[in-house]
């Protein structure tokens, strides 16, 4: 189903309904009702003589408040001067104002992926809501993306071994990791870990 999120974040805040008929001659009036899952009208639009080219709904009910999350559809009713009435329903669409949720942490921020068995990998602990997809991105100190991971459903905890997309070891320096998701209604969530440091310099001792 088509989804939108009337939460004021400027991403899919409205849905557009397009009334159509093959006979616009003799129209006296028309209405477009937004029906909830129980078939009750939560918002109504209307006009006379001719159909509007499109109707943009902002997710507000007749009381001026955002309607509850759920599945809705539009119902078009057209009345003609000869007494005829025709109706047509739109496909179902979803009102969804809930953002994806995510918790993110790492076991440490300083590691040395040099194969000595000590802090060779950093673990990203991820706990998320069920979504269509999640994207994990590693950036270097110049904010250039060097590695990408993806998951369907939930983002799983995993380990990064300090390599780039070509599996080459990255140089010493600062890095960051971002986990993000955008649901079908346009609700976006992102969390990140900054100041991850890779340091492979050998430790020297003198006596």
């Amino acid at each position: 189903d088509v989804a939108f999120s009337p939460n004021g974040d400027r991403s899919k805040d409205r849905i557009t309904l397009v009334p159509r008929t093959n006979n616009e001659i003799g129209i006296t009036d028309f209405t477009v009702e937004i029906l909830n899952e129980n078939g009750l009208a939560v918002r109504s639009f209307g006009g006379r003589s001719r159909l509007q080219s499109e109707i943009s709904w902002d997710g507000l009910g007749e009381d001026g408040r955002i309607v509850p999350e759920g599945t809705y559809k539009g119902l078009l009713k057209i009345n003609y001067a000869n007494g005829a009435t025709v109706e047509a329903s739109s496909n179902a669409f979803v009102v969804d104002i809930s953002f994806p949720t995510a918790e993110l942490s790492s076991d440490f921020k300083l590691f040395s992926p040099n194969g000595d068995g000590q802090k060779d990998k950093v673990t990203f602990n991820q706990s998320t809501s069920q979504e269509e997809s999640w994207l994990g991105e590693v950036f270097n100190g110049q904010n250039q993306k060097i590695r990408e991971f993806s998951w369907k459903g939930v983002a799983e905890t995993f380990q990064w071994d300090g390599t780039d997309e070509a599996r080459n070891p990255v140089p010493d320096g600062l890095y960051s990791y971002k986990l993000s998701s955008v649901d079908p209604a346009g609700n976006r969530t992102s969390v990140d870990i900054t100041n991850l440091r890779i340091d492979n310099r050998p430790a020297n001792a003198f006596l």
Side-chain angles (χ1 to χ4, degrees):
D1 294 338
V2 174
F4 76 116
S5 55
N7 52 18
D9 66 354
R10 298 183 180 180
S11 175
K12 296 187 177 181
D13 282 332
R14 291 174 172 266
I15 192 168
T16 299
L17 302 174
V18 182
R20 287 288 183 268
T21 179
N22 58 5
N23 181 17
E24 294 208 16
I25 298 175
I27 293 177
T28 58
D29 60 85
F30 76 94
T31 59
V32 173
E33 295 181 322
I34 309 296
L35 307 181
N36 62 17
E37 296 177 16
N38 298 319
L40 301 177
V42 298
R43 187 75 182 270
S44 181
F45 305 88
R48 295 185 176 278
S49 300
R50 57 182 300 174
L51 298 180
Q52 292 178 223
S53 58
E54 61 181 39
I55 292 172
S56 178
W57 183 42
D58 56 7
L60 301 183
E62 296 293 355
D63 59 2
R65 298 179 180 179
I66 297 175
V67 300
E69 292 185 318
T71 302
Y72 295 80
K73 67 178 180 179
L75 177 63
L76 170 65
K77 297 180 181 180
I78 304 174
N79 295 316
Y80 290 88
N82 63 4
T85 299
V86 295
E87 296 185 2
S89 295
S90 72
N91 294 328
F93 49 87
V94 174
V95 173
D96 176 9
I97 59 174
S98 296
F99 288 83
T101 60
E103 295 181 2
L104 175 64
S105 65
S106 63
D107 52 353
F108 39 75
K109 287 194 170 184
L110 174 63
F111 70 114
S112 55
N114 54 15
D116 65 356
Q118 300 294 320
K119 292 187 176 182
D120 284 330
K121 298 179 180 181
V122 60
T123 300
F124 294 124
N125 302 295
Q126 304 185 139
S127 177
T128 70
S129 55
Q130 185 88 17
E131 304 296 337
E132 284 193 358
S133 64
W134 285 92
L135 176 65
E137 300 168 291
V138 179
F139 299 89
N140 63 19
Q142 291 71 49
N143 203 34
Q144 298 168 325
K145 183 166 65 174
I146 61 168
R147 189 74 185 271
E148 182 176 296
F149 307 88
S150 62
W151 299 268
K152 298 292 185 183
V154 297
E156 301 173 351
T157 293
F158 76 105
Q159 291 183 314
W160 178 46
D161 59 2
T163 60
D164 60 18
E165 207 67 55
R167 305 303 187 268
N168 296 316
V170 298
D172 288 359
L174 287 175
Y175 295 84
S176 61
Y177 173 72
K178 181 173 75 172
L179 175 67
S180 61
S181 179
V182 182
D183 68 18
N187 300 303
R188 177 185 297 273
T189 291
S190 67
V191 291
D192 60 9
I193 296 176
T194 59
N195 296 321
L196 294 165
R197 181 177 290 277
I198 291 179
D199 187 352
N200 286 313
R201 293 175 298 176
N204 297 315
F206 300 92
L207 179 61

